Amino acid sequence: MALLLSVHQLAKSFSGKSLFKEVSFGIEEGERVALLGPNGVGKSTLMKILNQTMDSDSGSVVYRRGMRMAYLAQDPKFKEADTLASVLLKNHEIDADEMARAYEWIGKMELSSFSEDTKISTMSGGWQKRVALAQQLIAEPDLLLLDEPTNHLDVAAIKWLENFLTASRFATLIITHDRLFLQRVCQKILDLDPRFPGHLLTVNGGYDKYLETKASMATEQLAREQKLANTLRREKEWLARGAQARQTKQQARISGADRLAGEVERLRTLNRRANLDLSFEANDKGPRKLVVAHGLGKQDFKNKEKWLFKDLNFVLTPKTRLALLGNNGAGKSTLIKSLLGMISPDQGRVQMAEDLKYAYFEQGKDSLDPKKSVLHNICLEGDYVNFRGQFVHVRSYLERFRFYKDKIDLPVAQLSGGEQARLRLAQMMLQECQVLILDEPTNDLDIETLNILEEALVDFEGAVILVTHDRYFMDQVCSQILSFSSFEDFNGELLFFADYSQWENWFEMTEDLMRAKIVAARAQSRALSKDSTKKKLSFKEKFEFEQMEKNISDFEARVKEIQQELLLPEIISNAAKIQELSTELDEKQSQLEKFFDRWSELDLRSKL
């Protein structure tokens, strides 16, 4: 495959602090590449340099002549007056071809349910991201840059994005910490981290291959660190003895020892585990039943005929690990507030333990004061905080969360999203509680921090209620999923699942049934409008009808096979095979819809 761009020895600093240097890599046609790395390492900065909206300090980026590139920011910005039509035609001449492409992407992004005059500001964050993506794709890019595309998307939207990107022909460079998304979409991993030589680790393969590579590298580096440390110790002993030798030889050994010390220190830094220290304090003397819901229900605020949830019977106990799963606006936050007595239910009642203590991580991190410093968000007065019954100096406490001298006096508004999340967790750890409620805690956190947070939540002795669209994190932490449904047939009915894969299987099966139902209704409407003389089945149509069920079953089986093949590591790394399978998948799904349409028509007529 031909190179789209080549990066050579790229470097960037801010205020005298180096973000990265000596970074080199390339992106080829059709590649789906992930850009990983700790918070604050410069991933978004690197992407802006590639997009030519920011200059590097040194190094170069060479682009293929005529290459078209598009960039989707982490939080797309729209004006209050922007509409669907005006945004998708923005910066383009209004001609027949552009108009056709705009409407093509409206269809592909499933935006057809909105009118052309719909204001973007009235759409949810997930739909706004689809509009922004369509806006970039109208230009038909060869390379699409995506900065945290799954943030603020619900699970259904993330699944749609996964399918869309894996079937697309253009290349992508994606900043993401969604590990399941990484595994399903990306074929190559770039890990930007100053601890690596050249500030970059490149792995050709999916996320599983990346984990294997890092584990193997960690083992090798640890062994190398120990070996070099022993060699350095012997050299220092030799130099300390003042061994008799020619001056030139001794100077050479001194220089060699200095280089060796530098390499040992580099390996020690690389091998050092993250020093983020997370642990939540639970009251282990509390009751066994923290919250009990008896037939709990709440109606939609705007439509009283619609239930957000109803008839919920549930017991929250210590060590409960419950994930709430549902589309944006489904009612997850409303359910949490109902369980904690913040709002009154429309049905049933809630029984709470006396003096129940809980800590709430809000999605917007509302407990942080953006105008105050990091230090004053933790400790308003004095120099000490009470952590688990002991007084700890506030600066020492903040170092547990990687807030050092250069960050402690900064206003919170100047922190990155990941840093604000760490600071909110630092606040919560000062609270004694029996229930932890976490609403999208994973947004903006790097993978290293996510792993540490997972361990802290698993070890917590109280109950955890988790709202997250990070499916891998959900499965690692929670033992039960309570799912809201967006399907009309499930008006307020909540369903329990053991893990995400069980939910996904149910979702795909239900989605197929709903699609078949719509197709059948459409076919019934057409059949009823036909002349009555054409209603009876001919002998040929009877034979066709008898074979239809088997044909549908065969096609459905092949669709499932293709979807599974597209996730195989050997297929993910083969662009030609991906294109072949994606084309076949589109054809099979299109044919399936025709089969359902025809089957519904024949079924209706066979009963007349």
Side-chain angles (χ1 to χ4, degrees):
M1 292 184 288
L3 271 174
L4 291 175
L5 64 80
S6 178
V7 175
H8 181 66
Q9 296 288 297
L10 212 61
K12 184 65 178 179
S13 299
F14 278 116
S15 302
K17 179 184 177 182
S18 175
L19 285 179
F20 51 80
K21 58 185 178 181
E22 302 177 353
V23 170
S24 300
F25 63 91
I27 298 177
E28 298 182 339
E29 290 179 335
E31 275 193 318
R32 297 193 298 276
V33 185
L35 179 58
L36 308 184
N39 291 135
V41 79
K43 300 185 294 296
S44 294
T45 299
L46 175 57
M47 189 167 277
K48 288 174 184 175
I49 292 172
L50 298 182
N51 192 45
Q52 299 178 308
T53 53
M54 183 180 289
D55 295 327
S56 64
D57 295 336
S58 61
S60 63
V61 183
V62 179
Y63 303 89
R64 192 183 71 182
R65 181 176 298 178
M67 185 196 75
R68 297 182 299 272
M69 186 163 51
Y71 170 64
L72 181 63
Q74 185 173 155
D75 295 303
K77 304 297 182 184
F78 296 101
K79 296 178 182 177
E80 181 64 29
D82 283 342
T83 64
L84 187 61
S86 69
V87 163
L88 294 187
L89 292 171
K90 187 177 181 181
N91 297 328
H92 296 282
E93 295 179 7
I94 302 176
D95 58 27
D97 289 340
E98 293 290 352
M99 187 72 76
R101 280 206 292 274
Y103 283 109
E104 175 189 356
W105 284 110
I106 285 175
K108 286 184 177 180
M109 298 294 172
E110 301 178 6
L111 294 163
S112 304
S113 58
F114 299 99
S115 70
E116 295 177 20
D117 298 327
T118 300
K119 285 191 174 183
I120 309 301
S121 58
T122 64
M123 296 179 175
S124 69
W127 286 113
Q128 286 189 21
K129 191 155 279 191
R130 289 199 194 199
V131 173
L133 184 56
Q135 184 184 22
Q136 300 304 319
L137 293 174
I138 288 172
E140 299 182 329
D142 301 300
L143 173 62
L144 178 63
L145 308 177
L146 298 167
D147 191 350
E148 295 287 3
T150 64
N151 267 12
H152 312 300
L153 292 185
D154 54 45
V155 172
I158 293 172
K159 281 174 55 62
W160 172 87
L161 184 61
E162 286 174 348
N163 294 333
F164 173 76
L165 291 177
T166 52
S168 298
R169 297 183 182 183
F170 52 78
T172 51
L173 176 64
I174 308 168
I175 297 175
T176 183
H177 300 131
D178 187 323
R179 287 161 286 184
L180 186 57
F181 182 88
L182 274 170
Q183 179 59 29
R184 290 182 171 180
V185 174
C186 298
Q187 307 159 300
K188 184 163 81 174
I189 309 291
L190 303 176
D191 190 351
L192 186 65
D193 193 324
R195 295 176 296 180
F196 295 124
H199 281 227
L200 193 71
L201 170 65
T202 301
V203 177
N204 291 309
Y207 184 61
D208 54 347
K209 177 69 177 298
Y210 163 77
L211 291 177
E212 291 174 10
T213 302
K214 282 202 74 172
S216 176
M217 178 183 291
T219 301
E220 292 174 5
Q221 285 174 166
L222 187 60
R224 178 168 169 74
E225 178 195 341
Q226 293 171 343
K227 181 179 178 180
L228 292 182
N230 288 333
T231 302
L232 179 62
R233 176 180 51 78
R234 290 194 297 271
E235 284 294 291
K236 285 182 176 180
E237 290 173 352
W238 184 86
L239 291 169
R241 288 198 303 268
Q244 298 298 315
R246 287 179 302 175
Q247 187 67 18
T248 53
K249 182 178 179 181
Q250 187 161 344
Q251 286 300 320
R253 291 192 72 164
I254 291 173
S255 298
D258 288 341
R259 288 193 298 271
L260 190 59
E263 177 64 9
V264 169
E265 182 57 32
R266 186 188 72 82
L267 288 170
R268 186 170 291 136
T269 301
L270 188 60
N271 293 331
R272 188 182 299 131
R273 191 181 173 193
N275 63 348
L276 185 66
D277 189 359
L278 289 180
S279 59
F280 300 95
E281 183 177 7
N283 184 349
D284 55 2
K285 298 179 182 179
R288 303 310 302 166
K289 292 183 179 181
L290 302 174
V291 179
V292 182
H294 302 276
L296 199 64
K298 188 70 179 178
Q299 294 169 314
D300 190 293
F301 300 103
K302 297 178 180 178
N303 180 5
K304 294 299 182 181
E305 294 183 2
K306 179 184 176 183
W307 289 86
L308 296 175
F309 53 89
K310 63 181 180 181
D311 303 323
L312 174 64
N313 294 293
F314 176 69
V315 180
L316 189 71
T317 65
K319 298 303 287 185
T320 292
R321 297 292 181 267
L322 178 70
L324 302 183
L325 184 59
N327 290 349
N328 294 332
K332 300 185 292 294
S333 296
T334 302
L335 174 57
I336 289 172
K337 291 175 181 177
S338 298
L339 289 172
L340 297 178
M342 296 179 182
I343 58 176
S344 300
D346 295 322
Q347 178 194 69
R349 63 187 179 88
V350 175
Q351 180 182 348
M352 296 174 57
E354 188 175 353
D355 298 326
L356 181 71
K357 296 178 181 178
Y358 61 85
Y360 200 151
F361 184 105
E362 319 90 335
Q363 185 172 347
K365 309 174 189 75
D366 302 329
S367 296
L368 297 176
D369 188 334
K371 296 179 181 179
K372 291 180 180 176
S373 69
V374 170
L375 187 147
H376 286 147
N377 266 272
I378 294 295
C379 182
L380 277 173
E381 298 178 356
D383 296 323
Y384 291 86
V385 293
N386 188 340
F387 178 61
R388 298 193 172 183
Q390 295 183 342
F391 286 99
V392 179
H393 197 280
V394 63
R395 292 180 181 270
S396 297
Y397 180 73
L398 282 168
E399 286 182 358
R400 297 165 63 102
F401 303 89
R402 303 191 199 133
F403 292 109
Y404 304 108
K405 291 180 180 179
D406 59 331
K407 294 283 187 180
I408 283 179
D409 295 318
L410 282 180
V412 166
Q414 293 185 22
L415 300 180
S416 69
E419 288 169 334
Q420 290 185 18
R422 294 205 309 270
L423 186 60
R424 180 68 190 107
L425 291 170
Q427 282 184 332
M428 292 175 65
M429 280 178 51
L430 294 174
Q431 299 175 247
E432 181 184 335
C433 63
Q434 296 151 298
V435 183
L436 281 175
I437 302 103
L438 300 128
D439 191 353
E440 293 296 351
T442 62
N443 284 349
D444 306 312
L445 291 180
D446 56 46
I447 291 175
E448 194 171 55
T449 305
L450 288 174
N451 287 328
I452 296 169
L453 181 56
E454 284 169 7
E455 293 176 9
L457 294 178
V458 169
D459 293 340
F460 178 59
E461 293 299 326
V464 174
I465 300 177
L466 175 67
V467 178
T468 182
H469 300 137
D470 186 327
R471 298 149 298 170
Y472 183 92
F473 185 87
M474 180 191 302
D475 267 356
Q476 293 300 304
V477 172
C478 296
S479 56
Q480 200 173 31
I481 294 174
L482 182 58
S483 171
F484 292 71
S485 175
S486 58
F487 300 115
E488 290 185 1
D489 287 14
F490 298 83
N491 184 16
E493 182 182 354
L494 300 182
L495 303 173
F496 283 95
F497 298 93
D499 54 29
Y500 174 74
S501 63
Q502 190 182 69
W503 176 89
E504 189 172 59
N505 290 336
W506 168 85
F507 181 84
E508 291 174 355
M509 181 182 67
T510 308
E511 194 174 39
D512 290 342
L513 289 173
M514 294 299 108
R515 189 182 296 114
K517 184 178 178 181
I518 293 170
V519 171
R522 192 167 60 230
Q524 182 177 8
S525 177
R526 285 200 300 267
L528 289 173
S529 66
K530 291 183 179 179
D531 184 74
S532 59
T533 58
K534 298 181 180 179
K535 285 182 178 177
K536 290 185 178 180
L537 295 180
S538 66
F539 287 109
K540 182 179 179 181
E541 286 175 327
K542 286 181 181 178
F543 177 77
E544 180 187 0
F545 182 52
E546 290 171 357
Q547 298 299 309
M548 190 67 71
E549 188 173 342
K550 182 179 184 306
N551 288 336
I552 289 174
S553 177
D554 291 344
F555 269 72
E556 285 182 326
R558 180 53 187 155
V559 164
K560 293 289 186 185
E561 285 180 9
I562 296 172
Q563 291 172 335
Q564 291 172 357
E565 284 183 60
L566 283 168
L567 300 178
L568 295 174
E570 61 267 27
I571 299 298
I572 288 175
S573 59
N574 188 334
K577 188 63 176 177
I578 287 175
Q579 183 58 45
E580 177 188 334
L581 289 172
S582 297
T583 301
E584 184 184 355
L585 181 61
D586 288 341
E587 291 172 353
K588 289 288 188 289
Q589 289 177 327
S590 177
Q591 188 60 48
L592 259 178
E593 286 199 15
K594 292 177 182 177
F595 275 146
F596 275 122
D597 203 336
R598 180 64 171 161
W599 176 83
S600 300
E601 178 185 343
L602 295 177
D603 181 56
L604 180 66
R605 288 168 56 194
S606 70
K607 297 173 183 176
L608 296 175

